[in-house]
Amino acid sequence: MRRPLRLLLPLLLGIALGAARGENAIPELVLGAEDDAAPWSFADGSGYVNELVRTIYASQGWKLKLEVLPYARCKVMALRGELAGCFTTSQDAELAGKLLFPRNPVIAPRHQLYVEAGAPKASCDPIEKPMRVASTHGYEYTEQINRLLATGRLKPQVVMSEATGLRMLAAGRVEGALLTTDEVKRIDYLLHEARVKTPLRLLCDFGSYPGYVAFNPRHKQTRAAMEAFDRGFEQLQQSGELGRLQLKWEKRALNGPSPVPAGR
């Protein structure tokens, strides 16, 4: 009995050590990524925000898998806990208590209303006559925009992408288009993606509305994943890598075609 027991002890010890290491190992984190928010997120899984999130988690030793899908579905799956989180999501009042947000956003775009350059309306304040505007399905907008939509000053024509909204504006089917832009995603890029040459004019600037990786509060990985995200983001910021990544995608967006055409 002694010899078999001596042979068995190392095997049992190895199993126990392996189990202990397994408990401490970080499992694969699965996040949803929007499939039609170029150049932040493309349908092929590339994009500024996608690369930013991948870089952050790689720097913290996390395994990351991105599920690329339509934004509305991405958000629903995060709310249900089918995904640990979804990006890019804003801190809309309807999401309060339903999703958790890190300290740091991945983007801070401005929400703006564009009209054709020759449109008769010259001022944003006030919007007295109701306007038909293209708004993107599932997107969160600033409180001011939501008030204008609720009061009927802005009458939404819901579209599946901003490119579609721009094409509707160029065709005269709406009077304006609600767009989100920043240093990476500029208006000239959106016009190129929509294949629209109609001159536009900025009518209203409703301010910045940051977007985040939003996490399900009940998911077992959420707390650790949020801490890892903020830690990695702040390290990239301090090193200057964040600015270099933004510049890289700004140039790519303006100088090259999208990996996947926008505006299905």
Side-chain angles (χ1 to χ4, degrees), residues 18-36:
R21 283 195 296 267
E23 287 177 2
N24 295 326
I26 297 176
E28 184 176 64
L29 176 68
V30 182
L31 297 176
E34 185 177 358
D35 69 348
D36 195 9

Side-chain angles (χ1 to χ4, degrees), residues 77-92:
M77 290 178 71
L79 286 166
R80 290 175 178 169
E82 296 168 17
L83 294 169
C86 172
F87 62 84
T88 304
T89 302
S90 298
Q91 296 192 49
D92 189 78

Side-chain angles (χ1 to χ4, degrees), residues 226-241:
M226 287 177 63
E227 290 174 5
F229 177 87
D230 278 326
R231 189 167 55 247
F233 183 94
E234 288 157 14
Q235 289 171 1
L236 288 183
Q237 205 170 36
Q238 291 165 9
S239 69
E241 185 59 30

